[in-house]
Amino acid sequence: MDDEAMIDLAWDSGCMNCHDVDRSLRGPAWLDVAERYRDDDEAFERLVETVREGGSGNWGDERMTPNRRVPMEDIRTLVGWLLELESEQEE
C-alpha cells in the first residue's frame, strides 16, 4: 500500500486529529499499535470494530470516539495498512 495515499486517506477520514504515525497525540502512534498487535491474528477485526464504534482502556484513559461516518471499506484499508507499519529500526 502506498504510504502517502494512506496518510491522505487518514487525513480525509479525520484520523490524524488524534493519531500520528510515529508519535502519540490524543491516541497512540500507529507504529505502537502495529508493534502491539502485529502477531495477534484476531487484532484486525477488533481494531476495525474499535475504530468504527469507539473504545477505551487499551491505551490509557483517553476515549476513542466512534467513526461511523467513515466508510467501512476505508476503515478496513487503514487498519490493514497500519498493522503492517514497521519503524525504521525494525527493518
Side-chain angles (χ1 to χ4, degrees):
M1 291 180 231
D2 178 353
D3 288 346
E4 188 173 330
M6 292 296 99
I7 295 294
D8 288 345
L9 179 58
W11 274 109
D12 292 345
S13 300
C15 305
M16 304 302 278
N17 293 324
C18 299
H19 296 278
D20 193 84
V21 173
D22 57 4
R23 63 188 174 101
S24 295
L25 301 175
R26 283 186 63 203
W30 284 335
L31 285 171
D32 293 339
V33 175
E35 173 79 18
R36 179 181 284 186
Y37 296 111
R38 181 169 290 120
D39 296 324
D40 182 344
D41 294 336
E42 298 173 1
F44 177 81
E45 292 301 332
R46 282 196 326 268
L47 290 173
V48 166
E49 181 73 12
T50 298
V51 171
R52 182 77 174 172
E53 300 300 326
S56 63
N58 294 315
W59 297 92
D61 296 330
E62 192 73 41
R63 175 148 179 79
M64 181 169 178
T65 56
N67 291 286
R68 293 185 196 108
R69 68 172 188 79
V70 178
M72 184 59 84
E73 180 180 337
D74 290 348
I75 292 173
R76 296 179 74 78
T77 298
L78 285 164
V79 169
W81 169 74
L82 81 85
L83 284 173
E84 294 190 10
L85 289 173
E86 292 187 31
S87 71
E88 292 177 8
Q89 295 171 342
E90 294 176 25
E91 294 176 351

